[in-house]
Amino acid sequence: MSEQERLAFCFGPFQLDVAERLLLRNGEPITLPPKAFETLSVLVQNSGRLITKRDLMNRLWPDTFVEEANLANNISLIRRVLDDDRQECKQNEAFAPK
């Protein structure tokens, strides 16, 4: 089994299973397009380390010329998906009895 096949990460309510190409939020699957999933996977696996835009582009699209807008779109999608949970928490906190 390769190292990638064994990788699973938990952060907040999320679990990222690299081998299964699966992102879960509170146990519920979240659908991401393949490149968005790969982008999130690279970022999570390099948590706490600086990764340049160029390095990220080279990892996601090796030996291929791709516009930077593709990376920006993936990042935007990931932020929306991950932020959905934060918005739910904020809404629930607003209605929580004090």
Side-chain angles (χ1 to χ4, degrees):
M1 184 181 303
S2 74
E3 183 178 325
Q4 182 180 17
E5 292 176 24
R6 294 177 283 194
L7 293 178
F9 301 89
C10 293
F11 50 101
F14 298 96
Q15 181 178 3
L16 179 73
D17 187 325
V18 176
E20 295 296 322
R21 298 188 61 82
L22 182 64
L23 176 63
L24 302 171
R25 177 179 40 225
N26 297 320
E28 295 296 319
I30 298 172
T31 303
L32 282 176
K35 280 298 179 188
F37 183 89
E38 289 175 35
T39 304
L40 178 60
S41 179
V42 170
L43 292 172
V44 169
Q45 290 179 61
N46 288 281
S47 177
R49 286 180 251 162
L50 178 65
I51 183 167
T52 66
K53 185 187 305 183
R54 181 60 34 214
D55 288 341
L56 192 52
M57 298 273 297
N58 287 336
R59 286 186 187 191
L60 296 170
W61 294 280
D63 304 319
T64 306
F65 175 78
V66 177
E67 293 288 331
E68 288 184 11
N70 290 302
L71 179 60
N73 288 335
N74 285 339
I75 298 293
S76 178
L77 176 60
I78 292 166
R79 284 181 173 158
R80 282 195 308 268
V81 166
L82 298 181
D83 196 46
D84 278 350
D85 190 66
R86 188 170 16 170
Q87 294 303 322
E88 284 179 24
C89 290
K90 287 179 183 175
Q91 289 174 355
N92 290 339
E93 289 171 6
F95 295 105
K98 296 197 179 200

